[in-house]
Amino acid sequence: MNKTGYFTHTDCWKHEMGAGHPECPDRLSAIEDRLLVSGVGDALDRREAPLASLVDIELAHTRMHVAALRGLTDGLRDEIKAGGPSHAQIDPDTAMNVHTWDAALRAAGAALAATDAVLAGEMESAFCAVRPPGHHACRDRAMGFCFLNNVTIAARYALERHGLKRVAIVDFDVHHGNGTEDIVAGDQRILMVSFYQHPFYPEGGSRSNASNLVNLPVPAYTKGPQVRALVESHWLPRLDAYQPEMIFISAGFDAHRADDMGQMGLVEADYAWMTQRIKEVAPRHAKGRIVSCLEGGYHLDALALSVEAHLRILADL
Ligand SMILES: [Zn+2]
């Protein structure tokens, strides 16, 4: 048995938001190329992501949000037939093409299937190489390149459908996971721990003081040693005290020093170190169960190398 699963789908390549957009299909290709060249891909249990069902999506999103995204997709098809634009703009940074909805269903479906596989004991951990990302998607709103909150849908699914009592979401993307916060704030069955560059996108940073959130703002130019100290002093004691039965990771790699999307200074070794520390928590309470989903990461080489470092730790390579 390969210890770690790898979930993806070709539909995730078809979603694109216009020429030159940083959240582009090449991100997934860069990861795939790196896993091939390094041999890491051979050690993973590769699986095709299914489409998430609407009832599962509604564990984290309103029915109106789901209907609105579907309606935009249908409207876009009609407009294209009539010679109109190929994208529906959601906000200045976020747009849908006709493939976006299916890609979003695959991205959420990957997280759900990974959750099933890990909870069935078929693998210890899993990484979902998917796009669109999810952690800015709020209960009733798409924004910041995100449409469905993949990690939160899967976390609720683990609670509601598999009967777990407590799960944790760890978010190391450079941006605040405002969508995740919007959905889980006050839900004591979920502990969210994160750090994020602040002030930065999305404006305002964390807006909730709910006791199940450990959201740590850090200034631009924060580097690995400071982040590691925060993880040691704030994340790990809370995670251990909370005793999550499963750990989800919003794995964004845009806090990398090479990534122009943010101004932080992490390197591959920092991602490996964070993964290792999270992985040390998992056997104590969660039978080692970790499901990690790709969020940001826009410098293609840094993204690919960081994902490789993350996977080498998860899979003990
Ligand atoms: Zn990000």
Side-chain angles (χ1 to χ4, degrees), residues 38 53 80 92 107 222 248 276:
S38 65
S53 75
I80 290 170
T222 299
F248 295 87
Q276 180 66 43

Side-chain angles (χ1 to χ4, degrees), residues 135-136 173-175 252-254 261 295-298:
H135 77 151
H136 296 306
D173 192 277
V174 77
H175 302 98
F253 298 93
D254 42 8
M261 192 70 83
E295 299 283 359
Y298 304 97

Side-chain angles (χ1 to χ4, degrees), residues 112-136:
L112 293 170
T115 301
D116 283 336
V118 165
L119 283 168
E122 295 167 22
M123 52 186 68
E124 186 178 87
S125 59
F127 180 73
C128 301
V130 292
R131 50 184 296 280
H135 77 151
H136 296 306

Side-chain angles (χ1 to χ4, degrees), residues 274-293:
M274 284 192 287
T275 308
Q276 180 66 43
R277 299 315 305 266
I278 297 162
K279 201 179 163 211
E280 287 164 10
V281 173
R284 291 201 280 273
H285 316 290
K287 301 182 181 164
R289 298 185 287 225
I290 295 173
V291 169
S292 174
C293 296

